[in-house]
Amino acid sequence: MGTPLTGRTALVTGGARGIGAAIVRRLHADGAHVAITDVLEADGQALAAQLGERARFFAHDVTDDGAWRDVVEATLAAFGRLDVLVNNAGIYEAGTIEEADLAGVERQFRVNQFGTFLGMRHALAPMRAAGGGSIVNISSIAGQLGLAGSGAYVGTKWAVRGMTKTAAVEFAPDHIRVNSVHPGYIETPMLGGVDPEALKAGVEATPLKRIGKPEDIAAAVAYLAGPDASFVTGAELTVDGGWIL
Ligand code: NAP
């Protein structure tokens, strides 16, 4: 593995644990300076301390416009530029359209959809100043099909996919690429909220017959973030062991 991101700075939301932490580790190993942001402060601080000099943690709620301004400013103050944004923070709450708790529906809209929208908006100016960049939005296979019992989550992940393609067109004149990654079931704390029967059925329906690892998603993000993907924008990269084929 080379270090294709040497001299670049990446900001990863929800980077304290799960898929986000794997993305942080991978981009850091690829040479990037990494701003880790999350509402989980202790885990985020610990990860930054472990990685050392090229990593910083900033407390950050992605639903807060002012907090976005602050973390982008702090990232620029720490590392001088922003080249890569990974909108990874996300929450999942089960519930049918008929019965889902409305506060939970709104929470998912705000974190998964509005948070991603704000991230892209706030990354634009610093990436333009850097002469270009790469934004990777973490959607889900739930952004590519319908899933009974997950209507609000599915809605937010389709929204991420649609906003990604729109931003790809709007940001292209500034040499900013925007792509989405669509994980299948991945081994993280989020799976605790998924019905075990649905999980079992998902693995059975997966041609590669396993649950994914956070590192599987980190590898896809590293590709889209780096120079090998220089002609790739508006794409959706599904990483699900073949489940939705
Ligand atoms: P995770 O382990 O729950 O990690 C998500 C992180 O985001 C947590 O640290 C979480 O903190 C944080 N977060 C939640 N709300 C936030 C907010 N408002 N602002 C900033 N950070 C916030 O989940 P994961 O499985 O790694 O998921 C990462 C992404 O992959 C999500 O977008 C998810 O939808 C997507 N995804 C996951 C799977 C899967 O099977 N795991 C499949 C498809 C897509 P708290 O713990 O305090 O909430």
Side-chain angles (χ1 to χ4, degrees), residues 138-160:
I138 307 301
S139 176
S140 167
I141 54 163
Q144 297 176 301
L145 40 66
L147 281 177
S150 302
Y153 182 77
V154 164
T156 65
K157 293 301 187 179
W158 278 77
V160 168

Side-chain angles (χ1 to χ4, degrees), residues 17 19 38 40 60-62 88 139 153 157 184 186 188 190:
R17 72 169 198 200
I19 291 171
D38 206 301
L40 281 182
H60 177 208
D61 178 345
V62 296
N88 165 77
S139 176
Y153 182 77
K157 293 301 187 179
I186 307 296
T188 74
M190 182 179 274

Side-chain angles (χ1 to χ4, degrees), residues 106-121:
E106 197 170 330
R107 256 193 309 274
Q108 291 174 88
F109 286 170
R110 285 189 62 77
V111 177
N112 302 357
Q113 181 173 342
F114 188 53
T116 298
F117 181 93
L118 288 177
M120 293 195 291
R121 177 191 284 228

Side-chain angles (χ1 to χ4, degrees), residues 30-164:
D30 282 1
H33 293 70
V34 186
I36 306 163
T37 86
D38 206 301
V39 288
L40 281 182
E41 298 195 24
D43 291 12
Q45 294 284 13
L47 179 56
Q50 209 180 79
L51 293 176
E53 208 175 288
R54 282 186 288 110
R56 294 281 169 81
F57 172 74
F58 303 114
H60 177 208
D61 178 345
V62 296
T63 67
D64 182 339
D65 189 39
W68 265 108
R69 198 184 49 242
D70 293 346
V71 295
V72 168
E73 268 176 22
T75 301
L76 295 176
F79 300 131
R81 55 189 293 146
L82 180 65
D83 306 280
V84 175
L85 168 67
V86 186
N87 280 309
N88 165 77
I91 58 172
Y92 171 77
E93 296 183 39
T96 60
I97 290 172
E98 185 174 22
E99 292 180 346
D101 165 55
L102 282 186
V105 169
E106 197 170 330
R107 256 193 309 274
Q108 291 174 88
F109 286 170
R110 285 189 62 77
V111 177
N112 302 357
Q113 181 173 342
F114 188 53
T116 298
F117 181 93
L118 288 177
M120 293 195 291
R121 177 191 284 228
H122 281 276
L124 184 55
M127 286 187 179
R128 190 181 274 148
S134 172
I135 298 175
V136 184
N137 294 326
I138 307 301
S139 176
S140 167
I141 54 163
Q144 297 176 301
L145 40 66
L147 281 177
S150 302
Y153 182 77
V154 164
T156 65
K157 293 301 187 179
W158 278 77
V160 168
R161 180 179 169 201
M163 291 191 298
T164 298

